[in-house]
Amino acid sequence: MDCKEGTISQIKDDRIVVLIERRSACSTCHARGACLSSDKDEQLIEVSDYPLGVQVGDRVRLIPAKGGSPLKAVLFAFVIPIILLAVLSIGMNMAGVSEEILLVSLVGVLLLYAGLLKLLGGYFNQTFKLRAELVK
């Protein structure tokens, strides 16, 4: 994961809020004013691991904490649900289940998976943690 830089917009009790400006490839194009694509987007990210003495307006770099793998996040967010849906769809289709029951089952599995992810929120907060360091 590449490091993102941003500006501290708020300091809360035990964390800071960093404003990151995401830019598309269009933002560096010489003809960016001629097309209608939006070329920037802002995102607020809360970070609990940051250096002491930071102030609002300071520039920081966000880095994944040790053990935080972006590939693991993609696995939980996309790969596992797609595999669950594919296996359930193929299995129920081969068993001759009606489409209505198949649809309800797929929605139910997604809701159960979302509930499981919600229950494991503490694990994910520790695993996919970011830390901030001042930009010099």
Side-chain angles (χ1 to χ4, degrees), residues 2-44:
D2 58 313
C3 301
K4 300 287 185 186
E5 289 186 9
T7 305
I8 298 175
S9 65
Q10 272 183 325
I11 298 178
K12 294 185 176 181
D13 298 329
D14 62 342
R15 55 190 181 270
I16 58 174
V17 178
V18 179
L19 175 69
I20 294 180
E21 195 174 278
R22 297 185 304 175
R23 297 175 187 258
S24 69
C26 297
S27 65
T28 58
C29 176
H30 68 282
R32 68 180 171 270
C35 69
L36 299 174
S37 69
S38 62
D39 55 344
K40 77 176 185 179
D41 183 25
E42 294 180 342
Q43 181 178 17
L44 294 173

Side-chain angles (χ1 to χ4, degrees), residues 44-56:
L44 294 173
I45 298 178
E46 290 189 3
V47 180
S48 60
D49 186 3
Y50 59 93
L52 295 175
V54 295
Q55 298 176 355
V56 172

Side-chain angles (χ1 to χ4, degrees), residues 96-122:
V97 175
S98 71
E99 292 178 2
E100 294 83 14
I101 294 174
L102 175 62
L103 179 64
V104 170
S105 300
L106 293 176
V107 170
V109 164
L110 282 179
L111 290 174
L112 286 172
Y113 186 73
L116 178 66
L117 291 180
K118 184 73 173 169
L119 287 174
L120 295 174

